[in-house]
């Protein structure tokens, strides 16, 4: 069997990102009355059950992060925090323009700005459909972006660059 105390290490090795709350709830389900901290070992079926719940939770978490691994999200968060001058979690129009210019994305003409605005709305819609919480989507039509939506925008821009390189 596998000791429950090693489950977080085991899940990390499997590259599953699971909150402590989800893991505790799962262990409580497997060991009722243990408060998520069982003292006995998990047998094969119990381990598989925990892995299945962890896989589903990890998939949902990754989907909300535009498919990026947790480490890459943390890296983007640190880089993008520089542009969020008020540190409110939203990058406003001027801050966003500076960020996009620094990423090498042309924003000089009205057409380029309109195309980016349309991509921003598509990114917002993709984030919504991926399960990002409504309060983290920002306001439709506003020229500002939340970090969660920005991850989807960056994913889209990277895909555009990949297509341009192949084409």
């Amino acid at each position: 069997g596998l000791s429950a105390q090693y489950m977080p290490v085991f899940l990390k090795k499997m590259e599953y990102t699971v909150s402590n709350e989800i893991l505790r709830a799962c262990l409580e389900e497997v060991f009722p009355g243990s408060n998520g901290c069982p003292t006995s070992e998990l047998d094969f079926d119990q381990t598989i059950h925990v892995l299945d719940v962890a896989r589903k939770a990890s998939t949902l978490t990754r989907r909300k992060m535009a498919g990026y691994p947790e480490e890459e999200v943390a890296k983007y968060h640190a880089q993008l925090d520089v542009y969020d001058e008020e540190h409110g979690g939203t990058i406003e129009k001027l801050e966003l323009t500076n960020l996009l210019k620094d990423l090498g994305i042309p924003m000089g003409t009205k057409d380029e700005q309109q195309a980016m605005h349309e991509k921003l709305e598509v990114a917002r819609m993709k984030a919504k459909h991926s399960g990002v919480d409504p309060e983290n989507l920002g306001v439709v039509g506003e020229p500002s972006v939340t970090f969660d939506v920005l991850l989807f925008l960056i994913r889209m821009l990277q895909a555009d660059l990949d297509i341009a390189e192949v084409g």
Side-chain angles (χ1 to χ4, degrees), residues 61-82:
T61 299
R62 250 187 136 145
R63 188 177 307 140
K64 288 181 181 181
M65 298 185 308
Y68 288 112
E70 203 172 279
E71 300 79 30
E72 209 164 335
V73 170
K75 180 186 82 175
Y76 278 129
H77 208 286
Q79 290 173 339
L80 297 173
D81 200 41
V82 171

Side-chain angles (χ1 to χ4, degrees), residues 131-149:
V132 170
D133 295 330
E135 64 268 11
N136 295 332
L137 293 173
V139 180
V140 174
E142 288 287 314
S144 61
V145 64
T146 62
F147 177 74
D148 293 324
V149 172

